[in-house]
């Protein structure tokens, strides 16, 4: 253990030994909470005298940070509500001796137990109180995943504040919006890079009292700026009773977490999540995905996706506490190539990625296979084709033919081990729809990607796929205890997906109009997504209402299926964006797959190996995006036109045919502003950026 980690651990241990003895003593007096089935549970009070856990209110929503809501407890969802602290105490009682968090320091993995984890969260909570954290004000956290991120998030909740993540890619202006809107008293930052952003805006944050840096040494000592070691010592003189009184006053229907939307359709909104939203979802959504309690099998996961996003936060942080999971923290450059190294060392039992992560993994595997010797390449290609065919022909639970088993044991098991998936049983994809080509590629590796569907406003997953709830191209079934209805159903069975359950959020912070707009008259959360369910209750997302294109002729056109069809026909296309709202015909912006600069994460002018290979198969010598733009490469130009013609041939009407297109000079990216932090297309931003190109499509009509 490094000196910094040792010092931190000793500080936590020294100040909390007495309190831990009280916790352990109370644990012995009460039976542990246990699950009798997925829909019913008993929650122990762990010997801790708690006041009534729910504030009596009648409204299902609020926009005030200090507000309370009526919980959606009914016959489908009768579980006793608990706070985050109660959930953690249950965890310590059952799993206190087990390893909880693993961090790599000086090439060595260092682990702490759940008991140590709990003590460090209490210590962080006391230090926040010492710095002046006020009730229902926020602790904003700006940095890559780490144990300090976890301690800060949980500690903020223990201390009566609101845990608020900020995307690491945010500009200073975007950081200012979140910190000011959430009334941040303390901002916890990772390093000098993030500190520089906050120093630019701190004078315009009226509630800010301190900044804490958790990685790297402070380059310059500034007023109210603390290193992590300094911070963790600040609360040593705060009595246990002071913190315990705050904890015992907390109610399950009060806010404890703020998740800010990525701002793809406007300014980011602060999604208010209650203790019950967090604790109920962590328990029930994860079990719907077949995550196991540690007393049966301790799950191992790798934390690398942005914790400011609800998917990663529920999966990594809160579910980890609920079921006693061991969380390995990836390196900050995980998405630049080091993730696979962490996966190999951690050998997770479960893994989650957003579609772009799975796509990048697919592209890397394809590149590696293309570089193999002839015989090995043929063997891998054969094995993957056998696996894909078997997985498409047989259901997941059906016995596969001998040839599949041979290919799997001879080739595919080794491939999965090279990816770090030798012991992985569950593979999840969320945050955005995944392309069928990516889905089928991983079936070729005998990896079933389980899609989930939800939103920040539903505390993450409202629908889950898993080993026992699986259907191709579906997001799975509604989490037991939750409900769904499809509103305003059209002739094809599609309508707006509306959600009800204990996972539904409290409201948008300080935004009454947007909050009222989010619910229908009966209190159902209106997702804005179009979808349909089959006879067995599996959900299929078909589009998004706000993305729906309504042509000048009045025809409704969902863009995503058409965009996906173009990318299937033209695998060297990275992004395809359909245009045509209030226009007489449809047009499309295209970008080509290219090499990404691993330092800046910006797209370069160099074509990706996959794109180069495609060009070579056509007889083209193009190696750069600039070789293609402006119609310079006639062969590739014709290939694009032919691919779009094939898509048009399957269109349901003339109005859904793509009439014009253009290849842009640069791929879309987060840094460029075309994609949001979770890689979702920011359509309004793209339209604004490429206004001139779009207008060129329709200029002749105006003459």
């Amino acid at each position: 253990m490094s000196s910094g980690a040792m010092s931190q651990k000793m500080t936590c241990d020294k100040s909390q030994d007495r309190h831990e003895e009280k916790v352990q003593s109370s644990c012995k007096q009460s039976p542990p909470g246990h699950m009798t089935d997925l829909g019913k549970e008993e929650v122990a009070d762990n010997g801790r005298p708690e006041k009534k856990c729910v504030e009596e209110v009648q409204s299902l929503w609020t926009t005030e940070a200090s507000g309370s809501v009526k919980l959606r407890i009914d016959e489908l969802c009768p579980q006793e509500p608990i706070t985050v602290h109660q959930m953690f105490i249950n965890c310590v009682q059952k799993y206190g001796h087990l390893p909880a968090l693993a961090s790599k320091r000086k090439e060595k993995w260092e682990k702490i137990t759940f008991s140590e984890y709990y003590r460090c969260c209490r210590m962080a909570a006391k230090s926040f109180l010492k710095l002046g954290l006020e009730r229902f004000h926020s602790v904003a956290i700006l940095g890559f995943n780490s144990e300090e991120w976890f301690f800060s998030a949980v500690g903020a909740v223990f201390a009566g504040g609101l845990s608020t993540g900020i995307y690491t890619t945010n500009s200073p202006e975007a950081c200012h919006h979140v910190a000011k809107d959430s009334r941040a008293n303390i901002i916890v930052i990772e390093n000098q890079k993030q500190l520089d952003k906050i120093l630019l805006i701190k004078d315009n944050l009226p509630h800010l009292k301190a900044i804490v840096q958790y990685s790297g040494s402070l380059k310059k000592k500034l007023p109210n700026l603390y290193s992590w070691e300094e911070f963790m010592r600040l609360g040593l003189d705060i009595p246990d009773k002071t913190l315990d009184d705050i904890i015992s006053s907390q109610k399950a229907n009060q806010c404890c977490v703020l998740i800010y939307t990525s701002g793809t359709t406007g300014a980011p909104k602060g999604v208010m999540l209650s203790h019950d939203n967090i604790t109920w979802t962590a328990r029930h959504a994860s079990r719907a995905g077949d995550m196991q309690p540690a007393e049966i099998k301790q799950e191992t996961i790798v934390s690398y996706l942005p914790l400011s996003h609800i998917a990663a936060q529920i999966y990594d942080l809160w579910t980890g506490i609920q079921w006693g999971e061991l969380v390995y923290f990836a390196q900050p450059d995980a998405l630049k190539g080091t993730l696979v190294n962490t996966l190999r060392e951690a050998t997770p039992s479960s893994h989650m990625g957003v579609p772009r992560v799975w796509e990048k993994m697919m592209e890397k595997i394809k590149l590696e296979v293309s570089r193999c010797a002839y015989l090995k390449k043929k063997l891998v290609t054969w094995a993957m084709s056998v696996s894909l065919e078997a997985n498409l022909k047989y259901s997941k639970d059906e016995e596969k033919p001998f040839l599949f088993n041979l290919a799997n044991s001879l080739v595919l098991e080794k491939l999965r081990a090279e990816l770090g998936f030798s012991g992985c049983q569950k593979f999840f994809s969320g945050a955005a729809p995944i392309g069928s080509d990516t889905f089928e590629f991983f079936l070729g590796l005998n990896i079933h990607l389980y899609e989930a569907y939800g939103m920040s406003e539903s505390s993450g997953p409202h629908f889950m796929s898993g080993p026992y709830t699986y259907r191709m191209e579906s997001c799975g079934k509604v989490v037991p205890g939750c409900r769904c209805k499809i509103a305003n159903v059209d002739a094809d069975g599609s309508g707006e997906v509306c959600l009800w359950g204990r996972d539904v959020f409290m409201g948008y912070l300080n935004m009454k109009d947007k909050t009222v707009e989010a619910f229908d008259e009966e209190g159902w959360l209106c997702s804005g997504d179009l979808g349909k369910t089959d006879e067995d209750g599996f959900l299929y997302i078909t589009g998004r209402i706000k993305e729906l294109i309504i042509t000048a002729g009045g025809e409704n056109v969902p863009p995503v299926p058409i965009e996906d069809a173009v990318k299937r026909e033209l695998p060297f296309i990275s992004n395809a964006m359909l245009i045509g709202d209030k226009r007489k015909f449809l047009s499309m912006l295209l970008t080509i797959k290219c090499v990404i600069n691993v330092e800046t994460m910006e797209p370069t002018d160099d074509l990706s190996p996959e794109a180069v290979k495609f060009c070579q198969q056509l007889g083209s010598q193009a190696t750069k995006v600039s070789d293609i733009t402006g119609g310079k490469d006639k062969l590739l130009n014709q290939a694009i036109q032919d691919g779009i013609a094939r898509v048009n041939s399957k269109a349901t009407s003339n109005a859904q045919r793509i009439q014009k297109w253009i290849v842009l000079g640069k791929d879309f990216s987060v840094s460029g502003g075309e994609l949001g932090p979770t890689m979702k297309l920011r359509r309004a931003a793209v339209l604004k950026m490429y206004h001139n190109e779009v207008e060129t499509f329709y200029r002749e009509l105006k003459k």
Side-chain angles (χ1 to χ4, degrees):
M1 183 174 289
S2 67
S3 59
M6 179 67 77
S7 172
Q8 175 177 303
K9 181 179 182 299
M10 289 176 66
T11 301
C12 293
D13 289 350
K14 181 178 178 181
S15 64
Q16 295 298 325
D17 280 344
R18 187 176 303 167
H19 182 80
E20 183 60 24
E21 288 174 10
K22 291 195 296 183
V23 171
Q24 296 299 342
S25 174
S26 67
C27 289
K28 292 175 184 176
Q29 295 171 17
S30 304
H34 64 277
M35 179 174 286
T36 54
D37 58 48
L38 193 57
K40 299 177 181 178
E41 67 183 73
E42 297 175 13
V43 179
D45 67 5
N46 300 291
R48 181 177 294 278
E50 299 280 358
K51 296 179 181 178
K52 192 170 184 181
C53 198
V54 177
E55 192 81 29
E56 291 294 338
V57 289
Q58 295 303 313
S59 178
L60 290 171
W61 60 266
T62 182
T63 60
E64 297 179 6
S66 60
S68 302
V69 294
K70 181 180 180 180
L71 298 181
R72 297 165 189 254
I73 298 174
D74 55 31
E75 67 279 2
L76 282 182
C77 208
Q79 296 83 15
E80 185 73 20
I82 62 173
T83 63
V84 164
H85 185 263
Q86 287 173 308
M87 179 175 74
F88 210 146
I89 284 292
N90 284 341
C91 169
V92 171
Q93 178 180 339
K94 293 184 283 186
Y95 314 128
H97 64 289
L98 292 178
L101 307 178
S103 304
K104 198 169 190 179
R105 298 183 177 91
K106 296 181 179 179
E107 300 304 312
K108 182 181 179 182
W109 286 104
E110 298 171 1
K111 298 176 183 177
I112 65 171
T113 66
F114 280 99
S115 291
E116 293 166 336
Y117 180 6
Y118 174 77
R119 287 199 295 268
C120 287
C121 291
R122 282 186 63 91
M123 196 65 245
K126 289 184 177 184
S127 294
F128 285 139
L129 292 176
K130 184 71 173 182
L131 288 173
L133 176 61
E134 299 172 62
R135 195 70 183 270
F136 301 113
H137 284 242
S138 86
V139 172
I141 313 170
L142 174 60
F144 187 73
N145 310 24
S146 67
E147 60 181 32
E148 293 88 356
W149 211 109
F150 278 29
F151 298 156
S152 298
V154 180
V157 175
F158 282 5
L162 307 179
S163 170
T164 306
I166 302 179
Y167 286 106
T168 58
T169 54
N170 271 12
S171 65
E173 294 75 20
C175 292
H176 177 264
H177 171 79
V178 173
K180 185 176 181 180
D181 190 61
S182 65
R183 299 187 302 169
N185 286 154
I186 297 108
I187 300 180
V188 178
I189 50 96
E190 178 185 1
N191 51 26
Q192 185 67 40
K193 178 182 178 181
Q194 303 299 353
L195 176 61
D196 289 342
K197 295 179 186 178
I198 303 305
L199 293 179
L200 289 173
I201 61 173
K202 69 179 181 65
D203 292 338
N204 295 316
L205 295 174
H207 301 282
L208 184 63
K209 299 179 180 182
I211 304 169
V212 180
Q213 181 174 321
Y214 66 78
S215 180
S217 58
L218 300 181
K219 289 187 177 181
K220 184 179 180 181
K221 184 59 182 171
L222 300 171
N224 303 313
L225 171 64
Y226 301 88
S227 69
W228 184 259
E229 290 74 19
E230 290 172 334
F231 164 72
M232 288 295 276
R233 290 194 294 268
L234 287 175
L236 286 172
D237 61 349
I238 299 289
D240 278 343
K241 186 178 185 305
T242 300
L243 178 59
D244 289 337
D245 286 346
I246 293 171
I247 288 171
S248 63
S249 70
Q250 294 172 8
K251 309 297 183 184
N253 58 341
Q254 292 175 330
C255 186
C256 66
V257 170
L258 287 174
I259 300 289
Y260 276 82
T261 61
S262 54
T264 53
T265 58
K269 300 185 288 288
V271 175
M272 299 167 58
L273 299 181
S274 68
H275 288 263
D276 187 61
N277 286 149
I278 295 296
T279 58
W280 190 93
T281 305
R283 182 159 201 150
H284 294 277
S286 59
R287 289 297 285 133
D290 199 42
M291 298 297 283
Q292 297 297 310
E295 59 264 33
I296 296 175
K297 172 193 173 183
Q298 187 177 30
E299 299 272 9
T300 301
I301 67 170
V302 172
S303 179
Y304 71 101
L305 292 173
L307 290 165
S308 45
H309 189 258
I310 187 59
Q313 194 171 133
I314 280 288
Y315 182 80
D316 299 3
L317 172 54
W318 304 116
T319 300
I321 294 171
Q322 170 62 53
W323 295 123
E325 298 169 358
L326 172 56
V327 179
Y328 281 79
F329 292 106
Q331 299 303 302
D333 58 354
L335 295 179
K336 296 179 182 179
T338 65
L339 175 61
V340 69
N341 300 329
T342 305
L343 292 172
R344 287 171 185 159
E345 294 173 15
T347 59
S349 60
S350 173
H351 187 66
M352 182 180 70
V354 296
R356 186 58 188 140
V357 168
W358 293 115
E359 289 168 8
K360 288 176 72 173
M361 195 174 289
M362 173 180 70
E363 291 164 5
K364 185 175 178 61
I365 295 168
K366 285 182 175 180
L367 177 60
E368 294 297 326
V369 170
S370 71
R371 292 172 174 172
C372 289
Y374 176 78
L375 285 178
K376 185 176 181 180
K377 187 189 302 183
K378 293 291 286 185
L379 185 63
V380 170
T381 303
W382 165 79
M384 291 185 67
S385 65
V386 168
S387 175
L388 175 60
E389 183 180 358
N391 280 309
L392 289 175
K393 185 175 181 180
Y394 299 92
S395 71
K396 191 172 183 302
D397 297 326
E398 284 184 289
E399 186 175 345
K400 306 290 194 305
F402 170 76
L403 202 59
F404 164 81
N405 293 320
L406 179 66
N408 189 47
S409 60
L410 192 65
V411 180
L412 302 181
E413 283 182 0
K414 295 182 178 65
L415 277 177
R416 293 195 297 272
E418 288 179 19
L419 295 172
F421 294 147
S422 58
C424 200
Q425 301 297 315
K426 297 176 284 287
F427 303 85
F428 297 103
S429 181
I434 194 164
S436 58
D437 57 335
T438 308
F439 189 88
E440 291 185 359
F441 177 85
F442 281 97
L443 281 182
L445 292 174
N446 198 29
I447 289 175
H448 291 76
L449 296 181
Y450 302 133
E451 282 201 82
Y453 170 78
M455 48 202 301
S456 301
E457 293 86 344
S458 66
S459 310
H462 195 88
F463 283 79
M464 282 292 299
S465 296
Y468 308 108
T469 312
Y470 175 76
R471 191 159 291 177
M472 284 184 59
E473 299 183 358
S474 165
C475 301
K477 292 186 177 182
V478 71
V479 170
C482 296
R483 300 180 186 182
C484 168
K485 72 175 181 180
I486 308 297
N488 303 315
V489 179
D490 64 16
D492 296 325
S494 288
E496 183 173 15
V497 180
C498 299
L499 314 177
W500 180 282
R502 295 273 284 277
D503 57 344
V504 172
F505 79 135
M506 301 174 68
Y508 295 118
L509 181 64
N510 304 323
M511 300 180 76
K512 184 176 180 180
D513 290 347
K514 293 292 184 183
T515 299
V516 171
E517 185 182 315
F519 298 103
D520 70 9
E521 64 278 0
E522 295 177 336
W524 288 76
L525 172 61
C526 303
S527 70
D529 288 312
L530 296 169
K532 57 184 178 182
T533 55
D534 63 18
E535 64 278 4
D536 296 318
F538 284 88
L539 176 70
Y540 301 83
I541 296 298
T542 57
R544 181 155 181 82
I545 292 174
K546 289 183 179 179
E547 292 179 350
L548 200 66
I549 290 172
I550 303 176
T551 66
E555 177 136 358
N556 289 358
V557 180
V560 175
I562 298 174
E563 292 163 351
D564 287 345
V566 169
K567 288 190 283 187
R568 279 195 301 272
E569 290 291 342
L570 302 167
F572 62 93
I573 294 294
S574 176
N575 286 283
M577 179 172 146
L578 195 68
I579 294 161
D581 199 47
K582 301 181 180 68
R583 306 283 192 172
K584 290 189 176 181
F585 61 84
L586 300 181
S587 58
M588 182 168 275
L589 301 177
L590 301 171
T591 68
I592 308 294
K593 289 181 179 177
C594 63
V595 175
I596 303 297
N597 183 315
V598 296
E599 295 301 321
T600 64
M601 298 305 291
E602 293 184 355
T604 69
D605 190 40
D606 295 324
L607 295 179
S608 71
E610 185 179 4
V612 170
K613 182 180 178 182
F614 188 91
C615 291
Q616 290 173 345
Q617 290 172 344
L618 292 173
S620 166
Q621 301 302 309
T623 60
K624 296 182 180 296
V625 176
S626 54
D627 294 336
I628 299 167
T629 54
K632 290 192 285 285
D633 192 304
K634 304 302 182 185
L635 291 171
L636 207 65
N637 227 46
Q638 189 59 51
I640 294 172
Q641 186 59 52
D642 292 345
I644 286 178
R646 292 193 294 273
V647 172
N648 284 341
S649 69
K650 301 171 185 176
T652 55
S653 69
N654 284 334
Q656 297 203 16
R657 295 174 183 267
I658 304 162
Q659 303 294 337
K660 294 186 179 183
W661 52 269
I662 188 174
V663 174
L664 301 176
K666 190 177 182 182
D667 196 6
F668 297 162
S669 66
V670 175
S671 57
E674 299 95 343
L675 304 178
T678 56
M679 308 303 290
K680 289 181 181 177
L681 186 59
R682 301 179 66 210
R683 293 178 186 271
V686 173
L687 280 174
K688 188 174 181 180
M689 287 180 195
Y690 295 99
H691 173 78
N692 291 338
E693 286 84 352
V694 171
E695 288 305 312
T696 300
F697 292 143
Y698 303 99
R699 194 164 290 150
E700 292 179 5
L701 297 176
K702 296 178 181 179
K703 292 180 180 179

